[in-house]
Amino acid sequence: DAKTTQPPSMDCAEGRAANLPCNHSTISGNEYVYWYRQIHSQGPQYIIHGLKNNETNEMASLIITEDRKSSTLILPHATLRDTAVYYCIVRDNQGGKLIFGQGTELSVKP
Amino acid sequence: DAGVIQSPRHEVTEMGQEVTLRCKPISGHNSLFWYRQTMMRGLELLIYFNNNVPIDDSGMPEDRFSAKMPNASFSTLKIQPSEPRDSAVYFCASSFSERVEQYFGPGTRLTVT
């Protein structure tokens, strides 16, 4: 079972920041937070991951709360091509399988 | 760089036929994963390999499904005999190790009639 809770859907205006929340209140100390997205009819795409500290790469920023019970994925300037289902996944440091929940369907609108 | 390559991209077959899905992981990656996606069950792992050895096959539905990885650059997922409930999109993913991010292929859309 997925260990995360995400809103089923969100809208965002093109050019604005998209902030996607994720709750993972049962996360343990050795578990990472991963974000993937799936654009319609494509395979899932890795975005970013983190353990404790905030992380940033060319795609997005990941903000993890101090107690690590929740996180937010930030797409700083959303475009129409960012319309996708976004999955927040908690995974321990042993790796292995990714357990996908239902994700958040983000719609970026003109 | 070439990503994960899957073939065929689409497969339509009749119930009872054998189906073979193929995957070429990213060069240098040591872990390979097979996932299945359906509307009812979402994305779920079927099996994964590390250094060509199957590590976790607990997601393989039943004996009709089998997977092999004869070398570091090729894997197959076989369904024999196929059934209509096997209709789904099958994704292959690879990673440098089982502990890091996975990169997914474009998927094979299987329809069993």
Side-chain angles (χ1 to χ4, degrees):
Chain A
D1 292 334
K3 301 179 182 180
T4 62
T5 304
Q6 299 177 253
S9 64
M10 291 181 63
D11 289 341
C12 178
E14 188 178 19
R16 305 297 295 268
N19 297 284
L20 293 94
C22 180
N23 286 321
H24 31 79
S25 58
T26 62
I27 194 170
S28 61
N30 65 346
E31 290 183 317
Y32 289 76
V33 180
Y34 279 77
W35 283 83
Y36 281 75
R37 73 180 181 183
Q38 188 172 22
I39 297 169
H40 182 61
S41 296
Q42 297 184 20
Q45 177 188 23
Y46 166 77
I47 302 174
I48 198 168
H49 74 280
L51 182 63
K52 296 180 183 178
N53 300 322
N54 298 338
E55 302 287 342
T56 295
N57 63 20
E58 65 277 5
M59 290 184 68
S61 294
L62 173 60
I63 308 298
I64 303 174
T65 58
E66 191 168 344
D67 63 7
R68 303 210 320 124
K69 293 185 177 181
S70 66
S71 60
T72 301
L73 179 74
I74 301 173
L75 308 178
H77 305 287
T79 70
L80 299 178
R81 290 180 295 179
D82 292 321
T83 292
V85 178
Y86 287 77
Y87 297 97
C88 171
I89 300 167
V90 166
R91 184 189 193 212
D92 69 30
N93 60 8
Q94 296 303 307
K97 63 184 174 185
L98 295 167
I99 300 177
F100 289 84
Q102 296 304 306
T104 296
E105 186 168 4
L106 175 68
S107 296
V108 181
K109 303 191 175 184
Chain B
D1 290 339
V4 174
I5 298 172
Q6 292 188 246
S7 64
R9 294 293 311 278
H10 301 272
E11 176 82 27
V12 180
T13 191
E14 292 184 347
M15 182 174 64
Q17 297 298 306
E18 176 181 302
V19 175
T20 299
L21 311 181
R22 298 172 175 80
C23 176
K24 177 178 171 55
I26 293 172
S27 178
H29 282 190
N30 296 318
S31 297
L32 183 140
F33 306 79
W34 282 100
Y35 290 85
R36 178 173 67 176
Q37 186 171 34
T38 62
M39 289 293 293
M40 291 293 293
R41 299 175 65 89
L43 263 164
E44 53 183 352
L45 179 78
L46 299 177
I47 185 171
Y48 84 88
F49 297 83
N50 202 38
N51 294 318
N52 311 336
V53 176
I55 302 299
D56 181 356
D57 65 354
S58 59
M60 294 287 264
E62 48 197 270
D63 292 344
R64 297 184 299 105
F65 285 68
S66 63
K68 294 182 180 180
M69 191 163 187
N71 57 62
S73 59
F74 184 65
S75 177
T76 59
L77 178 68
K78 184 178 293 186
I79 308 172
Q80 180 184 21
S82 58
E83 297 183 2
R85 59 187 168 132
D86 301 330
S87 297
V89 181
Y90 291 80
F91 290 103
C92 176
S94 71
S95 61
F96 279 114
S97 82
E98 58 190 324
R99 298 188 180 190
V100 299
E101 63 272 16
Q102 299 170 18
Y103 294 88
F104 285 73
T108 294
R109 181 173 296 277
L110 173 65
T111 303
V112 183
T113 61

